[in-house]
Amino acid sequence: MNTLTSTIEQYWTRRASSYTDVVRKNLADGWDCKWADELISHFPKGKGLRVLDIGTGPGFYAIILAARGYDVTAIDCSDGMLEQARHNAGKLADSISFFKMDAQALEFEDNSFDVIVTRNLTWNLPDPTGAYAEWRRVLRRGGVMLNIDSNWYAYLFDDEKKQEKQADRANTVQAGFEDYESYDEGWLMENISRQLPMGRLARPHWDAVTLLDLGFSNVSADTSVSSRLWSREEMLNYASTPCFLIKAIK
């Protein structure tokens, strides 16, 4: 494991408990149904689908999909996140297969899964192209990859986006909501992100082109998904960085 990868893993392990609070809020507020319905609407037809949740974090995707009867395998590079995911899953933990694993070097056989789901991960990868290639490898033919992500740290490389982010902070506080960007070690993730490729790329266009080049048969990007999946508090916090849903079929 190189130094950057190790730093990323340690960072997310330290932040695992705070992300658990977000998952619990989503589950308590009923947003799990909206997220699950969105994901499942893109799944291939058939029963007994095998789903791989890459970068499960505190387990949100794994929990909501296992609760709906899917055969879920969940991976993460962080011991802390996996510990939180197992705890958050409660009685469902025994029905989810958890593994510590690098999203860029999967330890599964070719054609193992019908669906891959991931959220807020690819921006954080040193080798996103290699990761996408690995994800295609483990998908069965006709399988679907669903990636929800955002241009989280593009403001480090774009002055206009930096001004928009500063406006988000002011608008969030003015509305009386919690400022999600006010947390310890925010400076560290900025330092890490300056060493990563995704903040400099035009996304999701880059993702779509890369996935087609890798051999996916059909690729689409939905840039309106935030309006369906985010609360008003999240919309204000992240107004300048709306999420997008990338769908790719093998």
Short mmCIF file of all heavy atoms in Angstrom, two decimals, residues 157-222:
data_model
loop_
_atom_site.label_atom_id
_atom_site.label_comp_id
_atom_site.label_asym_id
_atom_site.label_seq_id
_atom_site.Cartn_x
_atom_site.Cartn_y
_atom_site.Cartn_z
N PHE A 157 -9.38 23.74 -7.75
CA PHE A 157 -8.71 23.98 -9.02
C PHE A 157 -9.46 24.98 -9.90
O PHE A 157 -9.08 25.19 -11.05
CB PHE A 157 -8.56 22.64 -9.77
CG PHE A 157 -8.02 21.54 -8.91
CD1 PHE A 157 -8.86 20.60 -8.34
CD2 PHE A 157 -6.66 21.45 -8.65
CE1 PHE A 157 -8.37 19.58 -7.53
CE2 PHE A 157 -6.15 20.44 -7.85
CZ PHE A 157 -7.01 19.50 -7.28
N ASP A 158 -10.52 25.60 -9.36
CA ASP A 158 -11.36 26.49 -10.16
C ASP A 158 -11.85 27.62 -9.26
O ASP A 158 -12.62 27.39 -8.32
CB ASP A 158 -12.54 25.70 -10.73
CG ASP A 158 -13.41 26.49 -11.68
OD1 ASP A 158 -13.76 27.64 -11.33
OD2 ASP A 158 -13.77 25.97 -12.74
N ASP A 159 -11.43 28.84 -9.53
CA ASP A 159 -11.78 29.98 -8.67
C ASP A 159 -13.28 30.25 -8.65
O ASP A 159 -13.84 30.63 -7.61
CB ASP A 159 -11.04 31.24 -9.15
CG ASP A 159 -9.55 31.20 -8.84
OD1 ASP A 159 -9.16 30.41 -7.96
OD2 ASP A 159 -8.79 31.94 -9.50
N GLU A 160 -13.96 30.05 -9.78
CA GLU A 160 -15.41 30.27 -9.81
C GLU A 160 -16.13 29.28 -8.91
O GLU A 160 -17.04 29.65 -8.17
CB GLU A 160 -15.93 30.16 -11.25
CG GLU A 160 -17.41 30.45 -11.38
CD GLU A 160 -17.90 30.42 -12.81
OE1 GLU A 160 -17.06 30.44 -13.74
OE2 GLU A 160 -19.13 30.38 -13.02
N LYS A 161 -15.72 28.05 -8.97
CA LYS A 161 -16.32 27.03 -8.11
C LYS A 161 -16.01 27.30 -6.64
O LYS A 161 -16.82 27.01 -5.75
CB LYS A 161 -15.85 25.63 -8.51
CG LYS A 161 -16.37 25.18 -9.86
CD LYS A 161 -15.97 23.76 -10.17
CE LYS A 161 -16.45 23.34 -11.55
NZ LYS A 161 -17.94 23.40 -11.64
N LYS A 162 -14.85 27.85 -6.36
CA LYS A 162 -14.49 28.21 -4.99
C LYS A 162 -15.43 29.28 -4.45
O LYS A 162 -15.89 29.21 -3.30
CB LYS A 162 -13.04 28.71 -4.93
CG LYS A 162 -12.55 29.03 -3.52
CD LYS A 162 -11.08 29.42 -3.53
CE LYS A 162 -10.58 29.71 -2.12
NZ LYS A 162 -9.14 30.07 -2.13
N GLN A 163 -15.76 30.27 -5.26
CA GLN A 163 -16.70 31.31 -4.85
C GLN A 163 -18.09 30.74 -4.63
O GLN A 163 -18.80 31.12 -3.69
CB GLN A 163 -16.75 32.41 -5.92
CG GLN A 163 -15.45 33.22 -6.01
CD GLN A 163 -15.48 34.23 -7.14
OE1 GLN A 163 -16.47 34.35 -7.86
NE2 GLN A 163 -14.39 34.97 -7.31
N GLU A 164 -18.50 29.80 -5.47
CA GLU A 164 -19.80 29.15 -5.31
C GLU A 164 -19.85 28.35 -4.01
O GLU A 164 -20.87 28.36 -3.31
CB GLU A 164 -20.08 28.24 -6.50
CG GLU A 164 -20.29 28.98 -7.81
CD GLU A 164 -20.41 28.03 -8.99
OE1 GLU A 164 -20.18 26.81 -8.81
OE2 GLU A 164 -20.74 28.51 -10.10
N LYS A 165 -18.77 27.70 -3.69
CA LYS A 165 -18.72 26.92 -2.44
C LYS A 165 -18.83 27.85 -1.23
O LYS A 165 -19.52 27.54 -0.25
CB LYS A 165 -17.43 26.11 -2.37
CG LYS A 165 -17.28 25.29 -1.08
CD LYS A 165 -15.96 24.54 -1.08
CE LYS A 165 -15.69 23.89 0.27
NZ LYS A 165 -16.71 22.87 0.62
N GLN A 166 -18.14 28.98 -1.27
CA GLN A 166 -18.22 29.94 -0.18
C GLN A 166 -19.64 30.48 -0.02
O GLN A 166 -20.12 30.68 1.10
CB GLN A 166 -17.23 31.08 -0.43
CG GLN A 166 -15.77 30.66 -0.31
CD GLN A 166 -14.81 31.73 -0.78
OE1 GLN A 166 -15.18 32.68 -1.47
NE2 GLN A 166 -13.52 31.58 -0.43
N ALA A 167 -20.35 30.65 -1.13
CA ALA A 167 -21.75 31.08 -1.09
C ALA A 167 -22.62 30.00 -0.45
O ALA A 167 -23.55 30.32 0.32
CB ALA A 167 -22.25 31.41 -2.49
N ASP A 168 -22.33 28.75 -0.72
CA ASP A 168 -23.06 27.64 -0.09
C ASP A 168 -22.95 27.70 1.43
O ASP A 168 -23.93 27.50 2.15
CB ASP A 168 -22.51 26.29 -0.56
CG ASP A 168 -22.81 26.00 -2.01
OD1 ASP A 168 -23.65 26.70 -2.61
OD2 ASP A 168 -22.19 25.06 -2.55
N ARG A 169 -21.73 27.98 1.90
CA ARG A 169 -21.51 28.03 3.34
C ARG A 169 -22.36 29.16 3.96
O ARG A 169 -23.02 28.97 4.99
CB ARG A 169 -20.02 28.28 3.65
CG ARG A 169 -19.03 27.36 2.93
CD ARG A 169 -18.92 25.98 3.59
NE ARG A 169 -20.11 25.23 3.73
CZ ARG A 169 -20.71 24.54 2.74
NH1 ARG A 169 -20.23 24.56 1.53
NH2 ARG A 169 -21.80 23.85 2.98
N ALA A 170 -22.35 30.33 3.34
CA ALA A 170 -23.11 31.47 3.87
C ALA A 170 -24.61 31.20 3.82
O ALA A 170 -25.34 31.48 4.78
CB ALA A 170 -22.77 32.72 3.07
N ASN A 171 -25.11 30.62 2.72
CA ASN A 171 -26.54 30.36 2.58
C ASN A 171 -27.02 29.29 3.56
O ASN A 171 -28.13 29.37 4.09
CB ASN A 171 -26.84 29.91 1.15
CG ASN A 171 -26.64 31.02 0.13
OD1 ASN A 171 -26.71 32.20 0.48
ND2 ASN A 171 -26.38 30.65 -1.11
N THR A 172 -26.16 28.31 3.82
CA THR A 172 -26.51 27.25 4.76
C THR A 172 -26.67 27.80 6.17
O THR A 172 -27.64 27.51 6.86
CB THR A 172 -25.44 26.15 4.73
OG1 THR A 172 -25.40 25.55 3.43
CG2 THR A 172 -25.73 25.08 5.77
N VAL A 173 -25.70 28.58 6.61
CA VAL A 173 -25.74 29.17 7.95
C VAL A 173 -26.92 30.14 8.07
O VAL A 173 -27.64 30.15 9.08
CB VAL A 173 -24.42 29.90 8.25
CG1 VAL A 173 -24.52 30.67 9.56
CG2 VAL A 173 -23.27 28.90 8.31
N GLN A 174 -27.16 30.92 7.03
CA GLN A 174 -28.27 31.88 7.06
C GLN A 174 -29.62 31.17 7.20
O GLN A 174 -30.53 31.68 7.85
CB GLN A 174 -28.27 32.74 5.79
CG GLN A 174 -29.32 33.84 5.78
CD GLN A 174 -29.22 34.72 4.55
OE1 GLN A 174 -28.52 34.40 3.60
NE2 GLN A 174 -29.92 35.83 4.56
N ALA A 175 -29.74 29.99 6.61
CA ALA A 175 -30.99 29.23 6.70
C ALA A 175 -31.15 28.50 8.03
O ALA A 175 -32.20 27.91 8.30
CB ALA A 175 -31.05 28.23 5.55
N GLY A 176 -30.10 28.53 8.85
CA GLY A 176 -30.17 27.88 10.16
C GLY A 176 -29.86 26.40 10.15
O GLY A 176 -30.15 25.70 11.12
N PHE A 177 -29.23 25.92 9.08
CA PHE A 177 -28.88 24.52 8.99
C PHE A 177 -27.44 24.28 9.42
O PHE A 177 -26.62 25.21 9.44
CB PHE A 177 -29.05 24.01 7.56
CG PHE A 177 -30.48 23.88 7.11
CD1 PHE A 177 -30.90 24.50 5.95
CD2 PHE A 177 -31.40 23.15 7.84
CE1 PHE A 177 -32.21 24.39 5.51
CE2 PHE A 177 -32.71 23.04 7.43
CZ PHE A 177 -33.12 23.66 6.26
N GLU A 178 -27.14 23.03 9.74
CA GLU A 178 -25.76 22.64 10.05
C GLU A 178 -24.90 22.77 8.81
O GLU A 178 -25.30 22.40 7.70
CB GLU A 178 -25.73 21.19 10.53
CG GLU A 178 -24.33 20.64 10.81
CD GLU A 178 -24.33 19.16 11.11
OE1 GLU A 178 -25.42 18.56 11.21
OE2 GLU A 178 -23.22 18.59 11.22
N ASP A 179 -23.70 23.32 8.99
CA ASP A 179 -22.75 23.44 7.89
C ASP A 179 -21.94 22.14 7.83
O ASP A 179 -21.08 21.89 8.66
CB ASP A 179 -21.83 24.64 8.12
CG ASP A 179 -20.83 24.84 6.99
OD1 ASP A 179 -20.80 24.02 6.05
OD2 ASP A 179 -20.05 25.80 7.07
N TYR A 180 -22.21 21.32 6.84
CA TYR A 180 -21.56 20.02 6.73
C TYR A 180 -20.07 20.13 6.45
O TYR A 180 -19.33 19.16 6.64
CB TYR A 180 -22.20 19.18 5.62
CG TYR A 180 -23.64 18.79 5.85
CD1 TYR A 180 -24.42 18.30 4.82
CD2 TYR A 180 -24.22 18.88 7.12
CE1 TYR A 180 -25.74 17.93 5.02
CE2 TYR A 180 -25.53 18.52 7.33
CZ TYR A 180 -26.29 18.05 6.28
OH TYR A 180 -27.59 17.68 6.48
N GLU A 181 -19.63 21.29 5.98
CA GLU A 181 -18.22 21.46 5.64
C GLU A 181 -17.38 21.93 6.83
O GLU A 181 -16.16 22.10 6.70
CB GLU A 181 -18.08 22.46 4.50
CG GLU A 181 -18.71 21.99 3.19
CD GLU A 181 -18.01 20.77 2.64
OE1 GLU A 181 -16.79 20.84 2.40
OE2 GLU A 181 -18.68 19.74 2.47
N SER A 182 -18.02 22.12 7.97
CA SER A 182 -17.30 22.57 9.16
C SER A 182 -16.98 21.35 10.03
O SER A 182 -17.77 20.95 10.88
CB SER A 182 -18.15 23.58 9.94
OG SER A 182 -17.47 23.98 11.11
N TYR A 183 -15.82 20.75 9.78
CA TYR A 183 -15.44 19.57 10.54
C TYR A 183 -13.92 19.52 10.68
O TYR A 183 -13.19 20.11 9.89
CB TYR A 183 -15.96 18.28 9.88
CG TYR A 183 -15.49 18.08 8.46
CD1 TYR A 183 -14.30 17.42 8.19
CD2 TYR A 183 -16.25 18.52 7.38
CE1 TYR A 183 -13.86 17.22 6.89
CE2 TYR A 183 -15.83 18.33 6.07
CZ TYR A 183 -14.64 17.67 5.84
OH TYR A 183 -14.21 17.48 4.55
N ASP A 184 -13.48 18.81 11.70
CA ASP A 184 -12.04 18.65 11.93
C ASP A 184 -11.39 17.93 10.75
O ASP A 184 -11.99 17.03 10.15
CB ASP A 184 -11.79 17.85 13.21
CG ASP A 184 -12.22 18.60 14.46
OD1 ASP A 184 -12.35 19.84 14.36
OD2 ASP A 184 -12.45 17.96 15.49
N GLU A 185 -10.21 18.30 10.44
CA GLU A 185 -9.38 17.68 9.41
C GLU A 185 -9.88 17.92 7.99
O GLU A 185 -9.49 17.22 7.05
CB GLU A 185 -9.23 16.17 9.65
CG GLU A 185 -8.37 15.84 10.87
CD GLU A 185 -7.92 14.40 10.90
OE1 GLU A 185 -8.66 13.53 10.40
OE2 GLU A 185 -6.82 14.16 11.41
N GLY A 186 -10.77 18.90 7.83
CA GLY A 186 -11.18 19.26 6.47
C GLY A 186 -9.98 19.65 5.63
O GLY A 186 -9.91 19.36 4.43
N TRP A 187 -9.03 20.31 6.27
CA TRP A 187 -7.80 20.72 5.57
C TRP A 187 -7.02 19.51 5.06
O TRP A 187 -6.38 19.57 3.99
CB TRP A 187 -6.91 21.52 6.53
CG TRP A 187 -6.51 20.72 7.76
CD1 TRP A 187 -7.18 20.63 8.94
CD2 TRP A 187 -5.37 19.87 7.88
NE1 TRP A 187 -6.52 19.78 9.82
CE2 TRP A 187 -5.41 19.31 9.19
CE3 TRP A 187 -4.31 19.55 7.04
CZ2 TRP A 187 -4.44 18.43 9.65
CZ3 TRP A 187 -3.34 18.66 7.51
CH2 TRP A 187 -3.41 18.12 8.82
N LEU A 188 -7.09 18.38 5.80
CA LEU A 188 -6.34 17.20 5.40
C LEU A 188 -6.93 16.60 4.14
O LEU A 188 -6.18 16.21 3.22
CB LEU A 188 -6.34 16.17 6.53
CG LEU A 188 -5.66 14.84 6.25
CD1 LEU A 188 -4.22 15.05 5.79
CD2 LEU A 188 -5.72 13.92 7.47
N MET A 189 -8.27 16.53 4.05
CA MET A 189 -8.86 15.99 2.84
C MET A 189 -8.60 16.90 1.65
O MET A 189 -8.45 16.43 0.53
CB MET A 189 -10.35 15.75 3.03
CG MET A 189 -11.04 15.12 1.81
SD MET A 189 -10.14 13.74 1.02
CE MET A 189 -10.27 12.44 2.25
N GLU A 190 -8.53 18.20 1.88
CA GLU A 190 -8.15 19.10 0.79
C GLU A 190 -6.73 18.79 0.31
O GLU A 190 -6.47 18.74 -0.90
CB GLU A 190 -8.26 20.56 1.24
CG GLU A 190 -9.69 21.06 1.38
CD GLU A 190 -9.75 22.54 1.65
OE1 GLU A 190 -8.73 23.11 2.08
OE2 GLU A 190 -10.83 23.13 1.44
N ASN A 191 -5.82 18.56 1.24
CA ASN A 191 -4.44 18.21 0.87
C ASN A 191 -4.39 16.90 0.08
O ASN A 191 -3.65 16.77 -0.90
CB ASN A 191 -3.56 18.11 2.11
CG ASN A 191 -3.25 19.45 2.74
OD1 ASN A 191 -3.46 20.49 2.11
ND2 ASN A 191 -2.77 19.45 3.97
N ILE A 192 -5.19 15.94 0.53
CA ILE A 192 -5.25 14.66 -0.17
C ILE A 192 -5.82 14.86 -1.57
O ILE A 192 -5.30 14.35 -2.57
CB ILE A 192 -6.12 13.65 0.62
CG1 ILE A 192 -5.42 13.24 1.92
CG2 ILE A 192 -6.43 12.42 -0.23
CD1 ILE A 192 -6.28 12.42 2.85
N SER A 193 -6.89 15.64 -1.67
CA SER A 193 -7.58 15.82 -2.95
C SER A 193 -6.70 16.51 -3.98
O SER A 193 -6.86 16.30 -5.19
CB SER A 193 -8.87 16.62 -2.74
OG SER A 193 -9.76 15.90 -1.91
N ARG A 194 -5.78 17.34 -3.53
CA ARG A 194 -4.86 17.99 -4.46
C ARG A 194 -3.94 16.98 -5.15
O ARG A 194 -3.37 17.27 -6.21
CB ARG A 194 -4.03 19.05 -3.74
CG ARG A 194 -4.84 20.29 -3.33
CD ARG A 194 -3.94 21.38 -2.76
NE ARG A 194 -4.70 22.57 -2.41
CZ ARG A 194 -5.20 22.82 -1.20
NH1 ARG A 194 -5.00 21.94 -0.21
NH2 ARG A 194 -5.88 23.93 -0.98
N GLN A 195 -3.82 15.79 -4.56
CA GLN A 195 -2.97 14.75 -5.13
C GLN A 195 -3.76 13.74 -5.96
O GLN A 195 -3.18 12.82 -6.54
CB GLN A 195 -2.24 14.00 -4.01
CG GLN A 195 -1.40 14.88 -3.10
CD GLN A 195 -0.82 14.11 -1.94
OE1 GLN A 195 0.01 13.19 -2.13
NE2 GLN A 195 -1.22 14.46 -0.72
N LEU A 196 -5.09 13.92 -6.01
CA LEU A 196 -5.97 13.00 -6.73
C LEU A 196 -6.38 13.60 -8.06
O LEU A 196 -6.45 14.82 -8.21
CB LEU A 196 -7.20 12.69 -5.88
CG LEU A 196 -6.92 11.99 -4.54
CD1 LEU A 196 -8.18 11.93 -3.69
CD2 LEU A 196 -6.37 10.57 -4.79
N PRO A 197 -6.71 12.76 -9.05
CA PRO A 197 -6.99 13.28 -10.40
C PRO A 197 -8.38 13.85 -10.60
O PRO A 197 -8.57 14.73 -11.44
CB PRO A 197 -6.79 12.04 -11.28
CG PRO A 197 -7.08 10.88 -10.39
CD PRO A 197 -6.61 11.28 -9.03
N MET A 198 -9.40 13.39 -9.87
CA MET A 198 -10.77 13.67 -10.26
C MET A 198 -11.19 15.13 -10.13
O MET A 198 -12.04 15.61 -10.88
CB MET A 198 -11.74 12.80 -9.45
CG MET A 198 -11.73 11.34 -9.86
SD MET A 198 -12.18 11.10 -11.59
CE MET A 198 -13.43 9.84 -11.44
N GLY A 199 -10.62 15.87 -9.19
CA GLY A 199 -11.01 17.26 -9.00
C GLY A 199 -10.70 18.13 -10.20
O GLY A 199 -11.31 19.20 -10.39
N ARG A 200 -9.78 17.70 -11.03
CA ARG A 200 -9.35 18.47 -12.20
C ARG A 200 -10.13 18.12 -13.47
O ARG A 200 -9.95 18.75 -14.51
CB ARG A 200 -7.86 18.24 -12.46
CG ARG A 200 -6.93 18.69 -11.34
CD ARG A 200 -5.50 18.30 -11.67
NE ARG A 200 -4.54 18.87 -10.73
CZ ARG A 200 -4.22 18.34 -9.56
NH1 ARG A 200 -4.80 17.21 -9.19
NH2 ARG A 200 -3.34 18.91 -8.76
N LEU A 201 -10.98 17.08 -13.39
CA LEU A 201 -11.64 16.56 -14.57
C LEU A 201 -13.06 17.09 -14.71
O LEU A 201 -13.73 17.42 -13.73
CB LEU A 201 -11.67 15.03 -14.51
CG LEU A 201 -10.29 14.35 -14.43
CD1 LEU A 201 -10.45 12.86 -14.21
CD2 LEU A 201 -9.49 14.63 -15.70
N ALA A 202 -13.54 17.14 -15.94
CA ALA A 202 -14.92 17.57 -16.23
C ALA A 202 -15.83 16.36 -16.07
O ALA A 202 -15.89 15.50 -16.95
CB ALA A 202 -15.01 18.13 -17.63
N ARG A 203 -16.50 16.31 -14.94
CA ARG A 203 -17.37 15.18 -14.65
C ARG A 203 -18.83 15.62 -14.69
O ARG A 203 -19.13 16.76 -14.38
CB ARG A 203 -17.04 14.61 -13.26
CG ARG A 203 -15.59 14.23 -13.06
CD ARG A 203 -15.37 13.55 -11.72
NE ARG A 203 -16.05 12.25 -11.70
CZ ARG A 203 -16.33 11.60 -10.58
NH1 ARG A 203 -16.04 12.13 -9.40
NH2 ARG A 203 -16.93 10.45 -10.62
N PRO A 204 -19.73 14.71 -15.12
CA PRO A 204 -19.55 13.28 -15.40
C PRO A 204 -19.13 12.95 -16.84
O PRO A 204 -19.09 11.77 -17.21
CB PRO A 204 -20.94 12.71 -15.11
CG PRO A 204 -21.87 13.82 -15.50
CD PRO A 204 -21.16 15.09 -15.10
N HIS A 205 -18.83 13.98 -17.66
CA HIS A 205 -18.44 13.72 -19.04
C HIS A 205 -17.22 12.80 -19.09
O HIS A 205 -17.19 11.83 -19.88
CB HIS A 205 -18.12 15.04 -19.75
CG HIS A 205 -17.62 14.85 -21.15
ND1 HIS A 205 -18.46 14.53 -22.20
CD2 HIS A 205 -16.36 14.93 -21.68
CE1 HIS A 205 -17.74 14.41 -23.31
NE2 HIS A 205 -16.47 14.65 -23.03
N TRP A 206 -16.21 13.08 -18.25
CA TRP A 206 -15.02 12.24 -18.25
C TRP A 206 -15.39 10.79 -17.96
O TRP A 206 -14.88 9.86 -18.61
CB TRP A 206 -14.01 12.74 -17.22
CG TRP A 206 -12.81 11.86 -17.13
CD1 TRP A 206 -11.66 11.95 -17.86
CD2 TRP A 206 -12.64 10.69 -16.29
NE1 TRP A 206 -10.79 10.94 -17.53
CE2 TRP A 206 -11.37 10.16 -16.57
CE3 TRP A 206 -13.45 10.08 -15.33
CZ2 TRP A 206 -10.88 9.02 -15.92
CZ3 TRP A 206 -12.96 8.94 -14.68
CH2 TRP A 206 -11.69 8.42 -14.98
N ASP A 207 -16.26 10.57 -16.97
CA ASP A 207 -16.65 9.22 -16.59
C ASP A 207 -17.31 8.49 -17.76
O ASP A 207 -17.01 7.32 -18.04
CB ASP A 207 -17.63 9.26 -15.42
CG ASP A 207 -17.05 9.95 -14.20
OD1 ASP A 207 -17.01 11.20 -14.20
OD2 ASP A 207 -16.64 9.27 -13.25
N ALA A 208 -18.24 9.18 -18.44
CA ALA A 208 -18.96 8.54 -19.54
C ALA A 208 -18.01 8.12 -20.65
O ALA A 208 -18.09 6.99 -21.18
CB ALA A 208 -20.03 9.50 -20.07
N VAL A 209 -17.10 9.00 -21.03
CA VAL A 209 -16.14 8.69 -22.09
C VAL A 209 -15.24 7.53 -21.67
O VAL A 209 -14.98 6.60 -22.46
CB VAL A 209 -15.29 9.94 -22.42
CG1 VAL A 209 -14.14 9.57 -23.36
CG2 VAL A 209 -16.17 11.02 -23.05
N THR A 210 -14.76 7.57 -20.44
CA THR A 210 -13.88 6.51 -19.94
C THR A 210 -14.57 5.16 -19.91
O THR A 210 -14.00 4.14 -20.33
CB THR A 210 -13.37 6.87 -18.53
OG1 THR A 210 -12.64 8.10 -18.58
CG2 THR A 210 -12.47 5.77 -17.97
N LEU A 211 -15.81 5.12 -19.44
CA LEU A 211 -16.56 3.87 -19.37
C LEU A 211 -16.82 3.28 -20.75
O LEU A 211 -16.71 2.07 -20.95
CB LEU A 211 -17.87 4.10 -18.62
CG LEU A 211 -17.72 4.38 -17.12
CD1 LEU A 211 -19.00 4.97 -16.54
CD2 LEU A 211 -17.33 3.11 -16.36
N LEU A 212 -17.13 4.12 -21.72
CA LEU A 212 -17.31 3.64 -23.09
C LEU A 212 -16.00 3.11 -23.65
O LEU A 212 -15.97 2.06 -24.31
CB LEU A 212 -17.87 4.76 -23.97
CG LEU A 212 -19.33 5.14 -23.72
CD1 LEU A 212 -19.69 6.41 -24.48
CD2 LEU A 212 -20.27 4.00 -24.13
N ASP A 213 -14.91 3.80 -23.38
CA ASP A 213 -13.60 3.35 -23.85
C ASP A 213 -13.22 1.99 -23.26
O ASP A 213 -12.51 1.20 -23.88
CB ASP A 213 -12.52 4.38 -23.50
CG ASP A 213 -12.58 5.63 -24.37
OD1 ASP A 213 -13.27 5.60 -25.41
OD2 ASP A 213 -11.95 6.64 -24.00
N LEU A 214 -13.69 1.74 -22.03
CA LEU A 214 -13.38 0.48 -21.35
C LEU A 214 -14.24 -0.68 -21.84
O LEU A 214 -14.00 -1.83 -21.47
CB LEU A 214 -13.55 0.64 -19.84
CG LEU A 214 -12.48 1.49 -19.14
CD1 LEU A 214 -12.88 1.78 -17.70
CD2 LEU A 214 -11.13 0.79 -19.17
N GLY A 215 -15.25 -0.37 -22.65
CA GLY A 215 -16.05 -1.45 -23.24
C GLY A 215 -17.46 -1.61 -22.71
O GLY A 215 -18.15 -2.56 -23.10
N PHE A 216 -17.92 -0.70 -21.85
CA PHE A 216 -19.32 -0.76 -21.45
C PHE A 216 -20.19 -0.49 -22.68
O PHE A 216 -19.85 0.36 -23.52
CB PHE A 216 -19.62 0.25 -20.36
CG PHE A 216 -19.20 -0.18 -18.98
CD1 PHE A 216 -17.94 0.13 -18.49
CD2 PHE A 216 -20.06 -0.92 -18.17
CE1 PHE A 216 -17.54 -0.27 -17.23
CE2 PHE A 216 -19.67 -1.33 -16.90
CZ PHE A 216 -18.41 -1.01 -16.43
N SER A 217 -21.31 -1.20 -22.80
CA SER A 217 -22.11 -1.12 -24.01
C SER A 217 -23.06 0.07 -24.03
O SER A 217 -23.46 0.54 -25.09
CB SER A 217 -22.94 -2.41 -24.19
OG SER A 217 -23.87 -2.56 -23.12
N ASN A 218 -23.40 0.55 -22.85
CA ASN A 218 -24.37 1.64 -22.76
C ASN A 218 -24.05 2.46 -21.52
O ASN A 218 -23.94 1.91 -20.43
CB ASN A 218 -25.79 1.07 -22.70
CG ASN A 218 -26.86 2.13 -22.89
OD1 ASN A 218 -26.92 3.07 -22.11
ND2 ASN A 218 -27.70 1.96 -23.90
N VAL A 219 -23.91 3.78 -21.67
CA VAL A 219 -23.56 4.66 -20.55
C VAL A 219 -24.45 5.89 -20.59
O VAL A 219 -24.67 6.48 -21.65
CB VAL A 219 -22.08 5.09 -20.61
CG1 VAL A 219 -21.75 6.02 -19.45
CG2 VAL A 219 -21.16 3.88 -20.61
N SER A 220 -24.96 6.29 -19.41
CA SER A 220 -25.76 7.51 -19.32
C SER A 220 -25.41 8.23 -18.02
O SER A 220 -24.90 7.63 -17.08
CB SER A 220 -27.25 7.20 -19.35
OG SER A 220 -27.63 6.36 -18.27
N ALA A 221 -25.70 9.54 -17.98
CA ALA A 221 -25.43 10.34 -16.79
C ALA A 221 -26.65 11.21 -16.50
O ALA A 221 -27.10 11.96 -17.37
CB ALA A 221 -24.19 11.20 -16.99
N ASP A 222 -27.16 11.11 -15.30
CA ASP A 222 -28.32 11.89 -14.85
C ASP A 222 -27.82 12.94 -13.86
O ASP A 222 -27.38 12.61 -12.76
CB ASP A 222 -29.34 10.96 -14.19
CG ASP A 222 -30.59 11.68 -13.71
OD1 ASP A 222 -30.62 12.93 -13.73
OD2 ASP A 222 -31.54 10.99 -13.30
#
